């Protein structure tokens, strides 16, 4: 966000700032003074923050089903609250983890947060670490074109700044070209 030369903030940016401010007024407790929660959520669309004996589940995408299992939470919360709504959320624990019965539609159109309060530190299971494959170093010519297979096409760094990555097919095999 930045002002225009005359000092005014563009309406679209001002509107976005107001929206973020409203969301923080409702859900800010899940952000301020918290730490990242290293918990197996079973979904890339659910991330967790933690403050003391309280966990906050951020739903980057509302689940397609009203039932959700969080495998990394093995304790039953005493209070379960959607910060941006008043819909009830039921919870119980099995050997699979914490089971939640969610409303069919999340109350916030952008990002919903579920607050789980526990009477004592909850029993948590961290996500399993997935080994990261070792990156290959490929020398790129200073001029011209370098053709990489799609598997080698994870490009990053200053060497491609200003270049363009094009994905195409060479026969049946896809490839990426840095130009």
């Amino acid at each position: 966000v930045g002002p225009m030369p005359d000092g005014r903030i563009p309406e679209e940016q001002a509107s976005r700032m107001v929206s973020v401010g409203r969301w923080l007024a409702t859900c800010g407790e899940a952000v301020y003074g918290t730490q990242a929660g290293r918990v197996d959520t079973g979904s890339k669309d659910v991330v967790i923050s933690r403050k003391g004996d309280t966990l906050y589940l951020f739903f980057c995408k509302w689940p397609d089903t009203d039932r959700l299992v969080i495998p990394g939470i093995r304790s039953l919360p005493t209070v379960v609250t959607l910060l941006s709504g008043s819909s009830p959320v039921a919870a119980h624990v099995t050997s699979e983890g914490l089971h939640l019965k969610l409303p069919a539609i999340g109350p916030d159109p952008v990002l919903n947060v579920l607050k789980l309060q526990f009477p004592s530190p909850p029993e948590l299971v961290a996500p399993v670490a997935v080994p990261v494959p070792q990156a290959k170093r490929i020398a790129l010519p200073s001029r011209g074109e370098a053709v990489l297979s799609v598997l080698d096409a994870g490009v990053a760094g200053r060497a491609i700044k200003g270049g363009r990555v094009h994905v195409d097919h060479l026969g049946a095999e896809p490839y990426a070209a840095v130009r």
Side-chain angles (χ1 to χ4, degrees), residues 13-28 32 110:
Q13 292 179 8
S15 173
R16 178 63 50 99
M17 289 172 50
V18 168
S19 296
V20 169
R22 282 191 193 119
W23 185 86
L24 284 170
T26 303
C27 300
Y32 299 116
V110 178

Side-chain angles (χ1 to χ4, degrees), residues 51-139:
K51 186 187 311 180
D53 297 337
T54 301
L55 298 178
Y56 298 94
L57 279 65
F58 293 77
F59 291 87
C60 302
K61 177 180 176 265
W62 193 252
D64 294 331
T65 176
D66 65 346
R67 300 194 185 271
L68 183 68
V69 178
I70 307 293
I73 301 176
R74 301 298 173 100
S75 300
L76 184 64
T78 52
V79 179
V80 181
T81 311
L82 268 166
L83 293 183
S84 57
S86 58
S87 301
V89 177
H92 69 277
V93 176
T94 70
S95 60
E96 296 174 317
L98 179 66
H99 292 250
L100 299 168
K101 171 90 169 69
L102 301 168
I105 298 172
D108 190 289
V110 178
L111 182 63
N112 289 280
V113 179
L114 188 65
K115 179 179 181 179
L116 306 174
Q117 292 175 278
F118 297 87
S120 59
E123 181 184 342
L124 304 174
V125 177
V128 176
V130 177
V132 177
Q134 191 64 20
K136 295 180 188 176
R137 291 203 174 267
I138 300 171

